[in-house]
Amino acid sequence: MRRAKLAVLMALGLALPAVSQAATVDSVRLWAAPDHARLVFDLSEPAKAEVFALDSPSRLVIDLADSDLQAKMDDLPLEGSAISAVRTGVREGDDLRVVLELSRDIEPRHFNLAPNEEYGHRLVVDLEYPGESAVENPIDPIESMIREQEIAAKRASTKAKALGKAPEETSVVEQAEPHPRRDIIIAVDAGHGGEDTGAVGPGGTREKDVVLEISQRLAARINAVEGFKAVLIRDGDYYLGLRQRTRLAREQKVDFFVSIHADAFTSPRPQGSSVFALSQRGATSETAQWLADSENRSDLIGGVDGNLSLRDKDQVLRGVLLDLTMTATLNDSLTIGGQVLDQLGRINHLHKSRVEQAGFVVLKSPDIPSLLVETGFISNPTEEERLATPSHQESLAKAIFGGVRKHFERHPPPASLLAWQRDHDRRPGSDEYRIQQGDTLSAIASRHNVPVGRLRQANELNGDVIRVGQVLHIPES
């Protein structure tokens, strides 16, 4: 009898680890991005989830086994997301059902996350929007075509150098005529975002909020100068993976990538701005990764459209091509970094007086000059207060763009408006105008004090249809 009881107890004891506790949903968080929305359920315990879509009307159903809802769902920020309404209910006695009513087509995916320093168990549900760009204003098709031509010429030159040939011995895409006068495209990347708050200052200021403000101010400054265009990699409170940020920059065919951050330390004493470029060691390891990754073997070398295949090249030539590209990119990064650091030193204390180098993932694109700017120490109470001040944010944005602009005015890409102005001694406001996003023929005529009919006649236009990138001759008023 005693043995029988012991056997029963042992059986119960062995069964205990398999019995899971009921999970409670303590909070639910939602972030909306241009190409997706992310819904995060904060759980007291891990919970088995089943996610599936229903049609007529379009809905996404999330079933959480043996779970109880303690969070409020009626105050989720649905604006800007694919979710128009949220309903919840109990299913089969113990399970929680969440129904998302949808206003657009989605492709759902979900996964569980283990606890970390900031959060406990989480269920993440991503609603991805097929065909949507992850950036608010993607590159114009005309700009894209011009960039592809310029990139192909640069790639051919790099290949010729690797083969020990003169550039003219390889096929180079001829520059479009008349001169393209394209914008110089700057990717502005606000670090962190969404569930990733970044560092938090002693006064509660969150890095993700401060750097987004600075980035938006920087983008506005870039867009205000003719010949430059900003691409905001993150323009809202949502998270993007580090590799995704550089991938987006490549898709937008940018000339330069700058990632904005705010530093932190365990002590409140450190202060000042820092500028980082990729380290040589980081560049070397990235080259090795690209060569080892089968996906990248037919990807980019000195270009951004993936047309250059390395499948017919031996491993040594691949290494030489990548090394040349990474070296040129790193040199440009350091040069631009020096200009940015000089400008930052005029408005803020510098934590380091030279461009630092480190292996940050967002700096590892082999063909795009990139910098990471630590605008200040959010862990320093005085600097935290300044970082949250609009006037200081504006000063930082002005300094960063000042350094970038100075570099590109000295070394403009050959197909850019700045290169054309340099070669033809032209300045904004001359007798030609390149059409920007949002321009209309009547607005251009009014701006230059010229009748619309005369502007049409001077440019042999039959109507008022114009396109971004088109160059108009402005007759004398």
Side-chain angles (χ1 to χ4, degrees), residues 118-135:
E118 191 170 357
Y119 300 109
H121 294 281
R122 287 153 289 161
L123 168 69
V124 179
V125 181
D126 282 337
L127 286 62
E128 297 178 353
Y129 311 150
E132 287 293 332
S133 172
V135 296

Side-chain angles (χ1 to χ4, degrees), residues 182-205:
R182 71 169 181 86
D183 289 334
I184 294 169
I185 307 169
I186 311 296
V188 181
D189 171 47
H192 307 283
E195 66 268 42
D196 178 13
T197 58
V200 179
T205 307

Side-chain angles (χ1 to χ4, degrees), residues 112-433:
N112 291 291
L113 290 175
N116 61 17
E117 292 179 0
E118 191 170 357
Y119 300 109
H121 294 281
R122 287 153 289 161
L123 168 69
V124 179
V125 181
D126 282 337
L127 286 62
E128 297 178 353
Y129 311 150
E132 287 293 332
S133 172
V135 296
E136 192 68 34
N137 295 305
I139 187 171
D140 179 83
I142 297 172
E143 293 272 2
S144 179
M145 179 187 68
I146 295 168
R147 285 290 286 131
E148 284 169 3
Q149 290 178 332
E150 193 177 37
I151 289 159
K154 182 179 178 182
R155 184 185 306 124
S157 177
T158 302
K159 180 182 173 184
K161 188 175 180 181
L163 295 171
K165 298 178 181 179
E168 58 268 22
E169 292 181 57
T170 61
S171 59
V172 178
V173 178
E174 292 296 323
Q175 199 173 74
E177 291 294 342
H179 194 286
R181 284 168 263 187
R182 71 169 181 86
D183 289 334
I184 294 169
I185 307 169
I186 311 296
V188 181
D189 171 47
H192 307 283
E195 66 268 42
D196 178 13
T197 58
V200 179
T205 307
R206 301 183 300 185
E207 181 182 2
K208 70 170 184 176
D209 300 327
V210 165
V211 299
L212 181 59
E213 288 280 347
I214 297 169
S215 296
Q216 289 171 333
R217 293 176 186 278
L218 175 56
R221 281 193 167 272
I222 293 169
N223 288 328
V225 175
E226 190 177 16
F228 287 90
K229 178 190 174 184
V231 172
L232 267 173
I233 299 298
R234 174 173 79 86
D235 61 358
D237 187 15
Y238 51 86
Y239 178 74
L240 293 169
L242 299 178
R243 293 279 180 183
Q244 186 182 4
R245 295 169 192 253
T246 54
R247 179 179 60 78
L248 290 174
R250 305 178 76 85
E251 288 175 358
Q252 298 306 306
K253 299 176 170 61
V254 307
D255 295 275
F256 177 67
F257 178 97
V258 58
S259 192
I260 308 298
H261 289 256
D263 218 335
F265 194 65
T266 52
S267 164
R269 288 193 298 273
Q271 61 173 322
S273 302
S274 305
V275 175
F276 288 86
L278 183 63
S279 67
Q280 193 62 52
R281 185 174 180 180
T284 302
S285 65
E286 188 68 4
T287 299
Q289 181 174 323
W290 274 65
L291 290 173
D293 189 340
S294 60
E295 271 186 36
N296 289 327
R297 289 188 183 176
S298 61
D299 212 326
L300 319 154
I301 306 296
V304 293
D305 57 2
N307 287 336
L308 178 64
S309 173
L310 293 181
R311 288 174 183 166
D312 60 338
K313 311 293 186 297
D314 63 31
Q315 189 77 3
V316 174
L317 180 56
R318 289 179 199 155
V320 172
L321 285 169
L322 272 171
D323 185 57
L324 286 170
T325 303
M326 289 289 274
T327 300
T329 301
L330 184 54
N331 288 340
D332 283 345
S333 300
L334 291 169
T335 301
I336 301 171
Q339 299 283 6
V340 170
L341 199 63
D342 177 64
Q343 295 294 316
L344 284 170
R346 301 180 186 190
I347 59 103
N348 199 35
H349 175 77
L350 294 180
H351 182 61
K352 297 286 186 181
S353 59
R354 54 171 288 177
V355 179
E356 298 289 290
Q357 292 182 257
F360 291 113
V361 173
V362 289
L363 302 180
K364 289 187 174 183
S365 185
D367 53 349
I368 303 173
S370 307
L371 291 178
L372 186 146
V373 178
E374 296 281 9
T375 52
F377 277 81
I378 203 168
S379 52
N380 179 297
T382 303
E383 204 147 60
E384 175 192 17
E385 188 175 340
R386 292 187 74 205
L387 285 169
T389 305
S391 60
H392 187 58
Q393 293 172 358
E394 195 66 47
S395 295
L396 288 166
K398 181 180 179 181
I400 294 167
F401 180 48
V404 173
R405 182 179 180 179
K406 197 169 184 180
H407 170 81
F408 281 109
E409 284 177 342
R410 291 180 177 177
H411 310 283
S416 66
L417 174 66
L418 266 66
W420 181 82
Q421 288 174 345
R422 177 198 62 190
D423 296 342
H424 295 79
D425 196 28
R426 300 279 187 173
R427 294 294 179 269
S430 66
D431 60 352
E432 287 187 337
Y433 177 75

